[in-house]
Amino acid sequence: MALQATVLRLMTITEAFCVGRLVELADLSSEANAASPRRAMLDDALMHASGSWQAMERAFKDWHSVKPSWSSLRGPTEVRNAVAHGLGALTHRQKLSRTATVSRINSVGAGVNEFDRIRLDPAIVTAIAEVCATFIRDLDARSFREF
């Protein structure tokens, strides 16, 4: 349980950094009036862009020409989704593309047992932490600007 909780926290931190940086890059301070139509459009676009990893990837690329290696997060994201939505086992959605899902999970050293439960150990969680930290550093370097 503690290993699963740690993966959830690591992915939450990574996601929060991504969303926070997207908001910073949108520079909402230029539109301080929260009731203005422009601000409403920005808020709506940011809500949509932060709804999934794929939407965030598109927003960074299309709005800011920022293109980190999102593929490194695919394995940790699958592990996180199994933990968060499948209580430690593959979800129905993950089972629909089982081969690809298991391949992504295996890419970070984790595994799936015969009951579709995720196998984790401390070394795998450490590897996921390093993937997350590397991604955050890369996104930070590619998207940093003085605010």
Side-chain angles (χ1 to χ4, degrees), residues 1-50:
M1 267 321 220
L3 295 175
Q4 291 181 356
T6 302
V7 170
L8 283 174
R9 287 184 183 99
L10 290 167
M11 292 306 294
T12 299
I13 290 164
T14 305
E15 182 179 11
F17 180 83
C18 293
V19 171
R21 182 53 55 94
L22 201 54
V23 169
E24 288 172 356
L25 291 171
D27 194 19
L28 296 179
S29 64
S30 67
E31 189 61 56
N33 180 0
S36 77
R38 182 176 182 279
R39 175 63 184 265
M41 288 188 305
L42 282 170
D43 287 341
D44 193 49
L46 285 167
M47 277 293 254
H48 177 71
S50 63

Side-chain angles (χ1 to χ4, degrees), residues 12-120:
T12 299
I13 290 164
T14 305
E15 182 179 11
F17 180 83
C18 293
V19 171
R21 182 53 55 94
L22 201 54
V23 169
E24 288 172 356
L25 291 171
D27 194 19
L28 296 179
S29 64
S30 67
E31 189 61 56
N33 180 0
S36 77
R38 182 176 182 279
R39 175 63 184 265
M41 288 188 305
L42 282 170
D43 287 341
D44 193 49
L46 285 167
M47 277 293 254
H48 177 71
S50 63
S52 71
W53 289 105
Q54 293 82 10
M56 269 193 286
E57 181 178 358
R58 278 192 307 274
F60 272 103
K61 181 179 71 121
D62 295 347
W63 300 352
H64 307 293
S65 299
V66 174
K67 302 173 195 168
S69 178
W70 294 89
S71 63
S72 65
L73 292 180
R74 303 231 194 303
T77 299
E78 293 290 358
V79 172
R80 178 243 176 241
N81 288 346
V83 169
H85 304 296
L87 301 176
L90 295 181
T91 66
H92 176 72
R93 179 177 289 189
Q94 288 175 312
K95 289 177 187 177
L96 293 175
S97 56
R98 190 178 202 294
T99 301
T101 298
V102 170
S103 177
R104 287 189 291 270
I105 290 169
N106 290 342
S107 75
V108 293
V112 178
N113 71 16
E114 66 272 15
F115 304 107
D116 289 335
R117 300 211 44 89
I118 300 296
R119 287 191 317 263
L120 292 172

Side-chain angles (χ1 to χ4, degrees), residues 21 64-69 137-144:
R21 182 53 55 94
H64 307 293
S65 299
V66 174
K67 302 173 195 168
S69 178
R137 284 190 298 269
D138 183 45
L139 179 59
D140 187 42
R142 292 173 186 266
S143 64
F144 179 79

